[in-house]
């Protein structure tokens, strides 16, 4: 049985800043400089005020004037990311980086050597924290789609496994935006059709979805709504 992990560093840029400046720990911290810039990362203290990545820095400052705002240090993120990816590679050659701070790992063939998927995930989390001083969250499932959703649901610093017999129970109550590829525009189209949850999409005829959203989007959403995702973990370098 395939075992895929989605490993996602927690508030990566902000965590690196706290590592380099321990005096920021416990305070609302935002990485993103200049009134016209955008927020790259916000720690969990800053998120309590509604601050999110990609938000204009000016708006974030109005939401939390007392927060600490710092400029990004890209060389530091690349340096730590490289070492974290090396940890992943020590468990499996099948590592697909998505960005500097997240990757998919296919650990199916690593279990003889390192234990179950859960044990591998626990070892990775422990090693990243011990060697790099930052935390990560790990989702485990049989597919990339479900593993990524699982990691989002156990943040920060958690681990969640979705076994194959629990996929629909986990997936169907989620909002339509939880599905890979559903941006604001597609979400709007789905809501116009009266589809608000993943279950609503799953129980809509495939042909109806294709008519409303086009062949590729309609077919893809229908498959994902039933938890079907056949994509392999393909090792490649992330875009810097």
């Amino acid at each position: 049985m395939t075992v895929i992990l989605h490993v996602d560093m927690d508030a990566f840029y902000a965590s690196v800043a706290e590592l380099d400046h321990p005096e920021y720990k416990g305070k609302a911290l935002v990485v993103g400089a200049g009134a016209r810039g955008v927020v790259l990362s916000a720690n969990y203290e800053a998120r309590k005020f509604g601050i999110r990545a990609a938000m204009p820095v000016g708006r974030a400052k109005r939401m939390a004037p007392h927060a600490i705002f710092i400029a990004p240090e890209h060389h530091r993120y690349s340096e730590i990311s490289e070492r974290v990816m090396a940890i992943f590679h020590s468990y499996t050659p099948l590592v697909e980086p998505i960005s500097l701070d997240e990757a998919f790992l296919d650990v199916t063939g690593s279990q003889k050597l390192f234990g179950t998927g859960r044990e591998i995930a626990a070892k990775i989390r422990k090693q990243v924290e011990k060697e790099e001083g930052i935390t990560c969250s790990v989702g485990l499932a049989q597919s990339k789609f479900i593993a990524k959703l699982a990691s989002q649901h156990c943040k920060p610093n958690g681990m969640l496994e979705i076994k194959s017999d629990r996929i629909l129970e986990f997936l169907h109550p989620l909002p339509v935006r939880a599905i890979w590829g559903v941006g604001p525009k597609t979400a709007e189209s789905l809501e116009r059709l009266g589809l608000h949850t993943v279950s609503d999409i799953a129980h809509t005829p495939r042909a109806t979805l294709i008519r409303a959203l086009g062949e590729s989007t309609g077919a893809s959403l229908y498959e994902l709504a039933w938890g079907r995702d056949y994509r392999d973990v393909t090792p490649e370098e992330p875009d810097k």
Side-chain angles (χ1 to χ4, degrees):
M1 196 183 284
T2 309
V3 183
I4 291 174
L5 312 184
H6 179 255
V7 187
D8 197 359
M9 310 309 295
D10 299 318
F12 181 55
Y13 298 167
S15 297
V16 172
E18 287 181 2
L19 197 62
D20 294 345
H21 303 275
E23 68 274 18
Y24 295 160
K25 263 205 156 54
K27 296 173 180 169
L29 174 70
V30 180
V31 178
R36 289 173 179 274
V38 294
V39 171
L40 285 180
S41 180
N43 70 358
Y44 290 91
E45 279 79 6
R47 292 182 194 192
K48 289 173 189 167
F49 298 93
I51 296 172
R52 294 284 178 270
M55 176 184 281
V57 168
R59 188 174 162 210
K61 283 186 170 168
R62 289 194 295 276
M63 292 168 93
H66 65 287
I68 298 161
F69 286 80
I70 61 164
E73 292 187 66
H74 295 288
H75 68 285
R76 278 292 281 145
Y77 311 142
S78 299
E79 193 184 290
I80 291 179
S81 170
E82 230 163 82
R83 294 201 297 263
V84 167
M85 296 293 167
I87 292 173
F88 300 165
H89 278 282
S90 69
Y91 290 91
T92 173
L94 299 175
V95 176
E96 181 181 338
I98 306 301
S99 62
L100 287 178
D101 61 342
E102 59 174 318
F104 288 109
L105 286 69
D106 185 333
V107 296
T108 313
S110 310
Q111 296 177 95
K112 276 199 178 84
L113 210 52
F114 298 110
T116 64
R118 281 188 79 85
E119 287 166 343
I120 294 170
K123 284 173 182 167
I124 287 172
R125 291 180 62 228
K126 195 173 174 182
Q127 198 174 338
V128 167
E129 188 165 11
K130 185 181 173 202
E131 293 179 16
E132 298 304 329
I134 54 180
T135 64
C136 59
S137 300
V138 184
L140 299 85
Q142 276 180 265
S143 71
K144 288 160 81 170
F145 172 51
I146 302 297
K148 186 168 168 66
L149 279 180
S151 74
Q152 288 166 2
H153 276 74
C154 64
K155 292 185 84 65
N157 196 16
M159 179 166 79
L160 177 61
E161 179 176 16
I162 306 295
K163 292 191 184 293
S164 53
D165 59 350
R166 285 203 46 241
I167 289 173
L168 299 184
E169 179 193 323
F170 167 71
L171 183 60
H172 278 183
L174 299 176
V176 293
R177 283 171 189 255
I179 294 191
W180 221 329
V182 175
K185 207 174 155 194
T186 307
E188 224 171 86
S189 306
L190 291 167
E191 276 157 18
R192 271 204 301 275
L193 292 170
L195 309 178
H196 302 285
T197 65
V198 176
S199 175
D200 293 340
I201 294 174
H203 293 97
T204 299
R206 187 191 180 103
T208 306
L209 292 170
I210 288 172
R211 250 198 328 274
L213 303 164
E215 176 73 46
S216 105
T217 305
S220 160
L221 290 193
Y222 184 80
E223 290 299 310
L224 291 175
W226 284 105
R228 296 193 281 259
D229 175 19
Y230 305 110
R231 290 163 313 151
D232 293 325
V233 171
T234 48
E236 58 187 34
E237 283 304 307
D239 294 334
K240 287 288 186 282

